[in-house]
Amino acid sequence: MSSTNRSNARDSHISDYYVTPSKPILDLFEALKESECCDLFTANDGKLHWWHKYLDPCAGGDENNEMSYPKVIQSLGVHKEYIKTIDFRENSKAEIKADFLQCSWSEKYKVVITNPPFNIAEDIIKKSFEFVEDGGYVIMLLRLNFFGSKKRKEFWQNNMPILTFVHRERISFTNGQTDSIEYMHCVWKKGVTQNFTKLSII
């Protein structure tokens, strides 16, 4: 499937599911571990603090695939019971089958992290701040060109991430083939506002 068709399929947000591979997620956490802005890791063994709570609002997974972010987060030391998962797809492995944009509860999380559908990514980011605790993180996998577009100018003026990790290798979502799109993980810290982002290539 071409990059255009693959991307348009994800944009539809209704049928096709594309698995986020583990490597770029592991690369992200390795970069976070080295960042002086991040307090997610223990000093002695480089593992994530096991008691921090995580939320993946577009968790994915199906009968043939694990949920990508929860799988990696568990491998880095977080207990399964500290990871809540949501997905609107009925065949997802997520704990809660629901539209995240319609969800509401009082529990807060140290990290909200996901690969959101492109066409509602801005809404997912804004909604995530309702669920993250003060000083916690919102982390999203986005196309690098998400920084573009006139309609998102105001969003970026008011919601600049503290860190931006651009993946130097194009990510393969289907059949081991990469497409023509570069991706980045953007990291926001609740309570921190600034008009610039620290950008790194990973």
Side-chain angles (χ1 to χ4, degrees):
M1 185 179 291
S2 71
S3 63
T4 301
N5 288 338
R6 186 193 65 76
S7 299
N8 287 344
R10 284 198 75 229
D11 292 350
S12 69
H13 191 50
I14 54 176
S15 57
D16 292 316
Y17 163 52
Y18 294 92
V19 179
T20 305
S22 295
K23 184 179 184 305
I25 305 174
L26 287 166
D27 289 343
L28 161 71
F29 279 105
E30 187 63 30
L32 283 172
K33 184 165 59 176
E34 297 174 1
S35 171
E36 60 186 26
C37 304
C38 182
D39 60 352
L40 297 176
F41 294 85
T42 60
N44 58 338
D45 62 3
K47 292 277 190 179
L48 291 169
H49 292 300
W50 62 264
W51 62 87
H52 281 161
K53 293 190 291 186
Y54 286 73
L55 171 65
D56 185 342
C58 308
D62 57 24
E63 61 181 7
N64 298 315
N65 300 283
E66 296 298 320
M67 296 177 289
S68 300
Y69 285 92
K71 176 183 176 182
V72 171
I73 292 165
Q74 287 181 66
S75 75
L76 295 175
V78 178
H79 294 183
K80 182 178 181 180
E81 59 266 32
Y82 287 86
I83 305 171
K84 186 177 289 289
T85 54
I86 305 171
D87 200 285
F88 72 100
R89 293 167 42 254
E90 286 300 321
N91 66 337
S92 168
K93 289 186 176 180
E95 174 186 353
I96 298 172
K97 306 298 192 301
D99 181 348
F100 174 61
L101 296 178
Q102 302 302 317
C103 291
S104 178
W105 57 75
S106 60
E107 186 175 12
K108 302 295 184 183
Y109 304 86
K110 181 68 174 182
V111 179
V112 178
I113 184 170
T114 201
N115 175 2
F118 182 84
N119 68 322
I120 58 168
E122 184 177 332
D123 294 328
I124 294 289
I125 295 165
K126 291 176 179 177
K127 184 72 173 181
S128 295
F129 279 99
E130 297 178 17
F131 289 84
V132 73
E133 64 188 45
D134 290 339
Y137 302 90
V138 172
I139 304 175
M140 298 283 149
L141 178 64
L142 302 165
R143 299 175 188 173
L144 185 57
N145 66 8
F146 198 76
F147 273 133
S149 174
K150 290 181 180 179
K151 75 173 186 177
R152 284 191 290 273
K153 180 180 179 181
E154 183 178 356
F155 169 79
W156 288 119
Q157 287 176 328
N158 297 316
N159 298 279
M160 187 61 68
I162 61 168
L163 300 169
T164 301
F165 297 107
V166 178
H167 293 273
R168 66 180 182 273
E169 296 179 358
R170 288 176 174 167
I171 299 174
S172 172
F173 293 94
T174 57
N175 300 322
Q177 298 179 343
T178 60
D179 57 33
S180 59
I181 298 173
E182 283 73 31
Y183 286 85
M184 61 183 177
H185 272 101
C186 287
V187 181
W188 292 264
K189 188 169 187 176
K190 189 172 182 179
V192 177
T193 57
Q194 56 191 38
N195 59 6
F196 64 93
T197 185
K198 182 179 179 181
L199 188 147
S200 301
I201 309 298
I202 61 174

